[in-house]
Amino acid sequence: MQKLKPYLRWFILGGTLFFIAKTLRDHWQEVASIRVGAEAWGYLAIALTITLLAHVWTGWVWGWILAGLNHPVSGFWSSRVYLQTNVAKYLPGNVWHFYGRAWAAKAAGIPLEIASLSVLLEPLLMAAAALIVALVSSSAAYKGLQLLGLGVVLVAVHPRSLNPATRLVGRLKKPKTGVDADSTENPAPVIPPIQHYPFLPLLGELIFLGLRGAGFCFTVMALTAITWKQVPLLLGAFSVAWLLGLIIPGAPGGIGVFEATAIALLDNHFPPAMVVSAVAVYRLVSLLAELAGAGIAWLYSRRI
């Protein structure tokens, strides 16, 4: 089974990229005819700014998650670390940004078990936020499945679900035989019980998804006029596409999966050429925002 996983990742990525390429080929002339004027560049600048702000914000929310695990940190520190490590999600494996964040937290004096739990909770809360936005923003099908998925995630992040798992980890990390459990030279890792449901981080991730969705809407506005009635549709489609890009393996940073899903969900509501162009431009906007965030964080770290 382990040997099949790399092939499965490549199959998923290849299939989604083939779908995008076919859609682009079928509507190439319409895509080439799209022109971006001065007003459109303004919308794209707003989309870039909002997307960058979303990444800064979710780094701050990660600090709230650590605080909920009894290890409060500065929001400036958590945002800086998040921005510096986030670009690593495009590396093969799609886990290196979590790895980098956990080890940065460990270097700051946070136990690795706490840091690892925080980067596990973060995507779960993001997934819950994406499902909530999708449910309230659109009338798309599969709402029953979305509700089921949301219920599973909300139960998974409840202290009654997390604390037994953390106690198990604590037992697995007992000190070696012959070493005093109270020894300061080889202390046993302890994960304190989680006392409260992570309502504040969940609210923070909802704001994050709202900002990312707004960035996507402004990107679409740069290519075509939209009405207020179409905004919920765009937010719902974005949330579902972003969520699938987060959870489906084989697509670093959700590349391919996000684009294919957004095209499939919006194809019947907007001109296909516009949809293909919008998801392609938004990917560029997202990459530029992440690179700008990493650069700003690096410059900030050089000054402290």
Side-chain angles (χ1 to χ4, degrees):
M1 185 65 182
Q2 292 294 330
K3 294 181 179 180
L4 289 176
K5 286 184 178 180
Y7 296 103
L8 179 61
R9 295 191 187 102
W10 285 111
F11 177 78
I12 294 172
L13 182 58
T16 54
L17 292 179
F18 175 79
F19 171 77
I20 296 169
K22 182 179 183 302
T23 305
L24 180 61
R25 185 197 64 182
D26 293 342
H27 302 282
W28 174 249
Q29 291 184 344
E30 298 96 318
V31 172
S33 66
I34 293 175
R35 295 291 182 266
V36 178
E39 184 180 11
W41 284 111
Y43 285 135
L44 290 176
I46 294 173
L48 177 64
T49 302
I50 291 176
T51 305
L52 174 58
L53 178 61
H55 288 297
V56 175
W57 171 255
T58 198
W60 203 285
V61 174
W62 177 51
W64 291 354
I65 296 173
L66 286 169
L69 297 174
N70 301 312
H71 284 79
V73 296
S74 164
F76 291 102
W77 177 87
S78 61
S79 292
R80 176 173 59 84
V81 171
Y82 183 94
L83 292 172
Q84 287 179 317
T85 58
N86 189 48
V87 291
K89 68 184 179 183
Y90 294 105
L91 296 175
N94 201 20
V95 296
W96 297 108
H97 53 311
F98 296 131
Y99 181 86
R101 209 173 303 152
W103 281 96
K106 182 177 183 296
I110 298 173
L112 185 58
E113 293 78 15
I114 296 291
S116 301
L117 181 58
S118 73
V119 298
L120 173 64
L121 283 173
E122 181 195 49
L124 287 174
L125 292 170
M126 286 181 170
L131 287 168
I132 292 172
V133 173
L135 283 167
V136 302
S137 297
S138 69
S139 57
Y142 308 111
K143 280 207 168 185
L145 185 60
Q146 293 178 19
L147 281 169
L148 176 62
L150 176 60
V152 170
V153 176
L154 292 178
V155 170
V157 298
H158 195 282
R160 291 186 179 181
S161 301
L162 290 173
N163 286 332
T166 57
R167 285 196 296 268
L168 176 61
V169 172
R171 286 197 295 268
L172 293 175
K173 292 290 185 177
K174 286 182 179 179
K176 296 180 180 179
T177 305
V179 178
D180 186 3
D182 296 328
S183 172
T184 57
E185 296 181 359
N186 190 12
V190 176
I191 303 178
I194 301 170
Q195 302 294 334
H196 305 288
Y197 195 87
F199 284 113
L200 184 60
L202 178 58
L203 176 60
E205 300 301 359
L206 277 169
I207 296 173
F208 166 72
L209 260 295
L211 290 171
R212 293 296 305 269
F216 181 69
C217 288
F218 275 105
T219 302
V220 174
M221 289 172 60
L223 302 178
T224 187
I226 63 174
T227 65
W228 281 107
K229 291 183 179 180
Q230 292 172 315
V231 171
L233 171 66
L234 289 170
L235 290 176
F238 171 83
S239 298
V240 173
W242 184 89
L243 174 62
L244 292 180
L246 175 71
I247 65 176
I248 291 181
I255 291 178
V257 174
F258 169 82
E259 287 80 0
T261 306
I263 291 171
L265 292 174
L266 296 174
D267 188 57
N268 294 328
H269 303 277
F270 295 92
M274 191 285 300
V275 175
V276 173
S277 300
V279 295
V281 172
Y282 182 75
R283 173 60 68 181
L284 179 60
V285 167
S286 183
L287 283 169
L288 288 175
E290 289 164 346
L291 290 173
I296 293 171
W298 180 79
L299 290 173
Y300 179 79
S301 66
R302 297 274 293 180
R303 297 183 60 182
I304 59 177

